[in-house]
């Protein structure tokens, strides 16, 4: 049961990271590279954690 709740949290993190990444791309500003790298890091971390919680 605990792993199921963690998987839901990680899926929400993946969706949040992808939304941040897409909103950063649509702005097309050179100053937003930090925000883009942060969103990629969130997605990678959540995908990795999600894969670790799969039984």
């Amino acid at each position: 049961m605990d792993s199921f709740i963690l998987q839901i949290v990680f899926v929400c993190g993946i969706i949040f990271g992808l939304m941040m990444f897409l909103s950063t791309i649509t702005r097309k500003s050179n100053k937003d590279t930090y925000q883009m790298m942060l969103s990629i890091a969130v997605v990678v971390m959540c995908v990795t954690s999600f894969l670790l919680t799969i039984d």
Side-chain angles (χ1 to χ4, degrees), residues 8-10 18-19 21 23-24 35 39 43 45 49 52 54:
I8 291 173
V9 169
F10 294 140
L18 289 175
M19 287 178 9
F21 182 73
S23 68
T24 305
Q35 186 73 23
S39 63
V43 170
M45 184 269 312
S49 300
L52 288 174
I54 292 177

Side-chain angles (χ1 to χ4, degrees), residues 7-37:
Q7 288 175 351
I8 291 173
V9 169
F10 294 140
V11 168
C12 291
I14 293 168
I15 293 170
F16 177 72
L18 289 175
M19 287 178 9
M20 281 189 347
F21 182 73
L22 291 176
S23 68
T24 305
I25 287 178
T26 55
R27 282 189 241 148
K28 294 184 180 180
S29 174
N30 291 337
K31 296 179 181 177
D32 290 339
T33 55
Y34 173 75
Q35 186 73 23
M36 190 166 46
M37 293 300 170

Side-chain angles (χ1 to χ4, degrees), residues 41-54:
V42 167
V43 170
V44 168
M45 184 269 312
C46 286
V47 167
T48 304
S49 300
F50 178 77
L51 292 176
L52 288 174
T53 58
I54 292 177

Side-chain angles (χ1 to χ4, degrees), residues 1-10 53 55:
M1 183 66 181
D2 291 334
S3 65
F4 179 71
I5 295 171
L6 282 174
Q7 288 175 351
I8 291 173
V9 169
F10 294 140
T53 58
D55 291 333

